[in-house]
Amino acid sequence: MATTKTRPRGDDARDTDGCDLCGLPTPSPPVTDDEVTGEFCCRGCLEITRTLGDAATADPEEVERELAGSDASVPDDAERTYMAVDGMHCATCEAFVSGTARNCEGVYAADASYASDMVRVSYDPETTDLTDLSSTLARYGYGTRDPEEREAAERADNQVARFVIGGGVFGMMVMLWYVLFLYPTYVGFSPVVELGVFDGIYILGNIWVMTSIVLFYTGFPILRGAVVSLHAGQPNMDLLVSLAATSAYVYSTAAVLVGRTHVYFDVSVAIILVVTLGNYYEDRIKRKAAGMLSDLAASRVSEARRRTADGVETVSVDDLAPGDVVEVRPGERVPVDGTIAEGTAAVDEALVTGESVPRTKRPGDEVLGGTVVTDRPLVVEVGDDATSTLDRLVELLWDIQSARSGVQRLADKLATIFVPTVLVLAVVAFGWTLFRGASATAALLVGLTVLIVSCPCALGLSTPLAVASGIKTAASRGIVVASEAVFEAVPDVDVVVFDKTGTLTDGDMSVVRVEGDESALAAAAALEHFSAHPLATAVVEAAKERGLNVPDLPAESVTVHDRGVSGVVEATEGDFGVADGRDSATNGERVVVGHPSLLRDEGITVGKHLDTAIEAAREAGAVPVVVGWDDSVRAVFVVGDEPRDEWDDVVAAVADNGRRDVVVLTGDSERAARRFRDHPDVTDVFAGVPPEAKAETVERLRSRGTVAMVGDGSNDAPALAAADIGIALGTGTDIAEDAADAVLVGRDIDAVPEVFSLSAGVNRRIRGNLTWAFGYNAVAIPLAALGLLNPLFAAVAMGTSSLLVVANSSRSLD
C-alpha cells in the first residue's frame, strides 16, 4: 500500500496570542524585530507593519456583511420577476411606479429603474397576481410587459412615433397660420392675406382646435407625468412644462373669447413638441444604452428537464439542487452553472462572457447558466451553487443601473427643491414685472417664460444615461461593473494593489525548465502521480506535454514522503527513451523525486552543475524539484508560477506616469517577488503575506489615499471588500464574487487599465452633464426673470438643454 503524508506548511507549535496584524496564531517564538512593536506570525506581516505603521483594523463583521450582502425585508421563498415598463421618462415616474407596486398585496419589494425602463418585483406568488399589478400601473398610464416581448416594445415605439408625427403635423399647421396671419400683425405689418371678422374667428378657431390636439393628445404623457408627480409628492419637470403649456393655452383661449388676436397657442405647441421630441430621442438612446439588462433578463431560464429514477421531469430552475442531472437540447440555454456529464457540443457563451466564437465542451468541462447549446444535446450535472451565471449578471447589472452615485444623489436632492423654487421665482418675476408698471399680459409672459426655460430634467438625466452607456461599453470589453462606486471612485484612486499569484502571474505551477537529463522526467512523473501536491501535478503535466511514456507503477512499490516520493521503477526498454547518448532507464532502481534535501538524506549525490541549477532556480523565485537514482541526481525540474506576458505593461499603464502608487502583495518568498520589485513603477512589494493579512494591509494603505485592489476573486475576497474599489479576475463562476466592484470576464489582466480609462471617461461625462445642467439653469432662469427671453425661444432652449445631455451620454466611449 502507498503511504500518504501531508506536507507541512509551517511549525505546528503555536502561541495562544495572535499576530498583531492579521490575528493568526504566532509561532513559538513569534516573529519580532527591535524596530517594530508587536509579535507577528510571519515576516511578511512584520514588514507590512514596518512600512505602513499602525492603522485601524477592518471590522470583520462589516467585511462579512459586504461579502454576504443583505436583503432582510424579502423572505427566502419570495419570487422575483422583471417587468418592462412603458411610459417612465423621469425620476419621479421611477419613484411613483416603485411606490405603487409596493402597495399591491403580497409585494415585498419593488424597485423601478428609469435608466432601464424596468421594474424588479419581489412578491409572494400565493397572494400576488401580477396581472392586477399591471392593471394598477396601467390606470396611471404605465404599460407593463415581459422583457422578451419585442413586438410590444416595437408597438410602444410606434405609439411614441405617432405622438411625435401626429403632434408635428398639427403643430406645423398651427405655425403656418401664425406665419401667414398672426406674426406679421405682431410686428406691425399687414398679414399676408387680409381677413374679415368672420375669417379671423375661423383662423383662430382652427388654431385652437389643432393646439388642443397637440396639447391633450401629443402632450398626454407630460400631463400625466405632472399628475403623477403631485401624487408622488415630487414636483418634476412635467409639472413645470404642463403649467407653462396649459397657462399659455388657457390665457390664449380666454383672449379669443374676448375678441383679442394676440394669443400664445404657438408657445403651447412649441413647448409640447420640443419636450416630446426630446423624450422620444432620450428613450431611444436609453434603450440602446441599457439594452443589455433587458436582453439578459429576457434570456433567463425558468424551467429545466431533470433526470430522475422514473425518467425525465420538467421542474422550475429554483427546484434544482447540487448534483441533479439535467438535459439540455440544441438551441436551449443551460439552466444553471454545472459540469458536463454526457455529450459533446459547441456552446455559445456570447451573452454571458462576450466571447463571440462558440466553444466546444466535453464531459468534465464546466458550463455557465445562460449559455446556449448549439448543435448536439448535453447532459449537465448541477454545480454546488445551483445558480446561473446569467441570473447573477442580471442582478449585478440591475444593481448598478438602478443605483445612485454620490454626485447623482446630490443632483437628485437639488432636483426635488428645484421645481418649487422655480414656481416661486415665476410668481416673484410676475409680481416684480407687474410692480414695475408692465401690463398684466407682459408680466404673465415673464412668469411663463421662467417656467418654460427651467430644465430639471437635465439634472435627473446626467448620471443614469452616462452610467448605462458606460456599463454597456464595459460589457463589450469583458468587464462586468458590479458597483456604482466604480465610475465615481476609480478616477481618484491613489494606490493600486495587485495580488501576485493568479493576477500578475498565470496562477498555474508548471515546469519552466529542465536541467540535466530531460527524459528522467518520465520516471519522476511515474512517482509524482501518487502525490496530490501542486509541484507533483506540474511534473506529471510536463511529462504529458512532452509526450514521454510514463509507466504505471503498483501502489505498494511507492512511498509518499513529506518532501517527495520514492519507489522502485521497473522500466521496460524504450519507456524513457535515450538522452545524451545513454539509456536513461532505471533497470529496477529505487527512484527518489522531490526536495533536494530528501535526496541528500537518501544518499543521492547532487553534482556541482545541478547544485548550481538548484540555487539559480531559488534565486529566480522558482522551486527546484530533483530526481535521482543509482546514487546520483539525474535532473532538476525548475517549477514556477510564470508572470503573465503583459504584466509589466499593465503595471506601467495603471501607474499612469507615477500618478498612482503600485503595490504588489504575495504570500510567496521575497525571492519569488524580486522581479516585481525591480519594475520602475512598483512602489512597494510585500512578500510572505498570508491571505488573512491582505485585508489589513489594504486598510493601512488607505492612509495614502483611495485604494483599488486587483485580485483573482478567491482568497483575495476580504482584501477586495476592504478596498475602496475591488477588481476581480474570474472565469464565469467567479462573476458572483460580491466583494468586487468590477469583474473581468476571463483571466486576462489587459482589461485592468481599461477599467481605469473607461471609468475616467464616464466620470468626465457625468460631471460634464451636471456642469451643463447647473450652468444652463443658472444663466437661463435669471434672463427669463428679467424679461430678456421670448417664451418661444425659451421652449426651444429648454428642450435643447435636455437633448444635449442625452446626446453627450450616448457618445461612444472608445
Side-chain angles (χ1 to χ4, degrees):
M1 292 291 291
T3 304
T4 304
K5 296 181 180 179
T6 303
R7 303 187 188 187
R9 299 181 62 181
D11 289 321
D12 292 329
R14 298 279 176 176
D15 284 343
T16 55
D17 294 335
C19 172
D20 286 345
L21 179 74
C22 67
L24 288 177
T26 57
S28 181
V31 178
T32 60
D33 191 286
D34 293 340
E35 298 178 357
V36 181
T37 302
E39 297 179 348
F40 305 93
C41 65
C42 61
R43 195 75 189 172
C45 289
L46 186 149
E47 291 301 326
I48 289 172
T49 304
R50 184 201 307 277
T51 304
L52 302 179
D54 294 328
T57 303
D59 182 357
E61 293 184 2
E62 182 178 345
V63 173
E64 180 67 22
R65 284 194 300 270
E66 184 168 352
L67 287 170
S70 63
D71 193 356
S73 62
V74 179
D76 293 336
D77 60 350
E79 289 193 9
R80 175 171 287 174
T81 188
Y82 290 82
M83 304 168 68
V85 181
D86 297 320
M88 285 197 298
H89 62 280
C90 66
T92 302
C93 293
E94 181 182 276
F96 182 78
V97 170
S98 299
T100 302
R102 290 191 199 106
N103 291 332
C104 291
E105 183 182 2
V107 174
Y108 300 116
D111 300 288
S113 172
Y114 165 55
S116 58
D117 282 334
M118 295 178 71
V119 60
R120 179 179 65 182
V121 181
S122 299
Y123 64 98
D124 179 1
E126 299 296 328
T127 59
T128 302
D129 187 344
L130 293 180
T131 303
D132 292 341
L133 172 60
S134 297
S135 300
T136 301
L137 292 175
R139 285 201 297 271
Y140 295 99
Y142 298 101
T144 59
R145 54 184 170 79
D146 191 280
E148 64 182 334
E149 293 178 2
R150 302 289 182 178
E151 292 183 2
E154 292 175 2
R155 286 197 299 270
D157 280 345
N158 292 337
Q159 180 75 359
V160 176
R162 285 197 296 271
F163 273 101
V164 174
I165 294 171
V169 170
F170 288 105
M172 284 189 294
M173 293 174 67
V174 169
M175 300 310 296
L176 179 62
W177 289 120
Y178 264 88
V179 170
L180 293 176
F181 301 109
L182 298 182
Y183 286 150
T185 63
Y186 293 169
V187 294
F189 295 101
S190 299
V192 176
V193 179
E194 292 291 339
L195 299 174
V197 176
F198 176 79
D199 293 331
I201 296 175
Y202 174 78
I203 295 290
L204 291 174
N206 272 276
I207 292 176
W208 178 82
V209 170
M210 289 182 285
T211 302
S212 299
I213 294 173
V214 172
L215 177 62
F216 297 109
Y217 174 69
T218 303
F220 171 76
I222 299 171
L223 299 176
R224 180 199 61 197
V227 174
V228 165
S229 74
L230 295 175
H231 274 288
Q234 295 184 7
N236 63 357
M237 187 194 76
D238 287 340
L239 183 59
L240 290 180
V241 172
S242 297
L243 283 174
T246 54
S247 296
Y249 176 81
V250 170
Y251 171 83
S252 299
T253 302
V256 170
L257 293 177
V258 298
R260 296 183 180 179
T261 59
H262 209 95
V263 292
Y264 297 96
F265 291 118
D266 56 337
V267 173
S268 295
V269 169
I271 292 173
I272 295 299
L273 289 184
V274 169
V275 173
T276 302
L277 184 62
N279 288 342
Y280 174 67
Y281 178 65
E282 172 198 325
D283 287 342
R284 299 287 294 183
I285 297 299
K286 188 171 63 176
R287 289 189 183 186
K288 290 180 181 179
M292 172 165 281
L293 178 58
S294 299
D295 289 343
L296 291 179
S299 301
R300 300 174 91 192
V301 183
S302 59
E303 294 182 335
R305 281 185 296 278
R306 180 173 60 188
R307 282 188 177 180
T308 66
D310 299 326
V312 178
E313 62 178 356
T314 300
V315 297
S316 169
V317 170
D318 295 334
D319 294 334
L320 294 177
D324 284 350
V325 176
V326 298
E327 296 181 353
V328 186
R329 296 171 183 170
E332 295 180 343
R333 294 190 182 275
V334 178
V336 294
D337 297 352
T339 304
I340 295 178
E342 299 176 18
T344 299
V347 177
D348 183 355
E349 300 179 338
L351 188 62
V352 178
T353 68
E355 176 62 46
S356 59
V357 179
R359 301 177 60 184
T360 301
K361 299 284 187 175
R362 298 178 175 83
D365 290 344
E366 294 182 349
V367 287
L368 307 180
T371 56
V372 180
V373 177
T374 62
D375 51 0
R376 289 185 290 273
L378 291 177
V379 177
V380 178
E381 181 178 344
V382 176
D384 293 337
D385 293 334
T387 57
S388 169
T389 294
L390 180 62
D391 288 351
R392 294 193 293 274
L393 275 171
V394 171
E395 297 296 330
L396 288 175
L397 285 171
W398 173 271
D399 289 340
I400 177 59
Q401 286 195 4
S402 59
R404 291 286 194 273
S405 64
V407 68
Q408 182 61 27
R409 284 193 292 270
L410 173 61
D412 288 345
K413 290 179 180 179
L414 292 175
T416 58
I417 64 174
F418 182 88
V419 173
T421 301
V422 169
L423 291 174
V424 171
L425 287 175
V427 173
V428 170
F430 169 79
W432 175 251
T433 305
L434 199 62
F435 176 76
R436 291 171 56 193
S439 65
T441 300
L444 181 61
L445 287 178
V446 170
L448 285 176
T449 305
V450 172
L451 294 178
I452 295 167
V453 81
S454 60
C455 190
C457 190
L459 292 175
L461 290 173
S462 297
T463 294
L465 291 183
V467 167
S469 179
I471 292 171
K472 185 173 183 179
T473 302
S476 69
R477 299 180 185 180
I479 304 167
V480 175
V481 178
S483 168
E484 75 277 8
V486 170
F487 296 130
E488 189 168 2
V490 166
D492 298 325
V493 165
D494 302 295
V495 182
V496 182
V497 182
F498 284 95
D499 173 60
K500 181 185 81 70
T501 305
T503 304
L504 294 179
T505 66
D506 57 24
D508 298 320
M509 301 296 286
S510 61
V511 176
V512 297
R513 190 171 65 257
V514 177
E515 299 286 350
D517 184 2
E518 182 169 323
S519 62
L521 186 60
L527 293 172
E528 294 281 38
H529 177 74
F530 291 89
S531 172
H533 196 281
L535 296 177
T537 302
V539 171
V540 173
E541 290 299 321
K544 291 180 181 179
E545 292 173 0
R546 289 165 171 79
L548 299 177
N549 295 318
V550 179
D552 293 327
L553 303 181
E556 58 269 15
S557 68
V558 178
T559 301
V560 180
H561 306 268
D562 58 354
R563 291 171 294 165
V565 188
S566 65
V568 176
V569 179
E570 294 287 351
T572 58
E573 184 177 356
D575 271 342
F576 306 138
V578 176
D580 298 330
R582 66 183 179 84
D583 188 3
S584 62
T586 61
N587 299 318
E589 298 285 346
R590 183 170 180 271
V591 179
V592 182
V593 58
H595 195 279
S597 63
L598 173 63
L599 276 76
R600 291 190 178 98
D601 292 347
E602 294 286 338
I604 298 177
T605 303
V606 180
K608 184 176 181 180
H609 169 68
L610 294 181
D611 195 42
T612 301
I614 291 172
E615 290 304 315
R618 288 171 172 166
E619 285 296 318
V623 180
V625 177
V626 181
V627 62
W629 62 86
D630 195 18
D631 298 329
S632 66
V633 170
R634 303 306 178 99
V636 175
F637 312 127
V638 181
V639 182
D641 180 20
E642 286 293 282
R644 298 174 184 269
D645 294 336
E646 69 275 16
W647 80 270
D648 50 351
D649 293 333
V650 169
V651 168
V654 168
D656 195 14
N657 295 320
R659 193 178 72 82
R660 301 186 185 96
D661 288 348
V662 176
V663 176
V664 177
L665 285 182
T666 178
D668 291 341
S669 66
E670 173 63 31
R671 285 188 291 192
R674 184 172 301 160
R675 73 179 75 193
F676 301 102
R677 191 183 298 279
D678 294 338
H679 194 287
D681 290 308
V682 174
T683 309
D684 294 293
V685 174
F686 297 119
V689 182
E692 293 81 0
K694 290 181 179 179
E696 176 61 22
T697 304
V698 169
E699 284 290 336
R700 299 193 180 198
L701 283 169
R702 294 175 81 172
S703 62
R704 298 182 181 179
T706 304
V707 177
M709 171 74 188
V710 185
D712 60 8
S714 51
N715 61 6
D716 300 320
L720 290 168
D724 297 288
I725 295 294
I727 303 173
L729 278 68
T731 54
T733 54
D734 290 333
I735 293 175
E737 181 55 70
D738 292 333
D741 299 294
V743 179
L744 312 183
V745 179
R747 299 195 65 86
D748 294 332
I749 60 173
D750 288 332
V752 173
E754 291 197 43
V755 173
F756 287 85
S757 61
L758 179 63
S759 299
V762 173
N763 187 271
R764 285 193 302 270
R765 191 158 295 178
I766 291 173
R767 295 183 183 278
N769 287 345
L770 289 173
T771 299
W772 167 257
F774 284 120
Y776 164 82
N777 285 289
V779 172
I781 293 177
L783 289 177
L786 293 174
L788 300 177
L789 291 182
N790 178 276
L792 195 60
F793 176 81
V796 174
M798 182 271 296
T800 303
S801 175
S802 294
L803 287 176
L804 285 176
V805 170
V806 173
N808 185 49
S809 298
S810 64
R811 287 189 300 114
S812 172
L813 286 163
D814 294 331

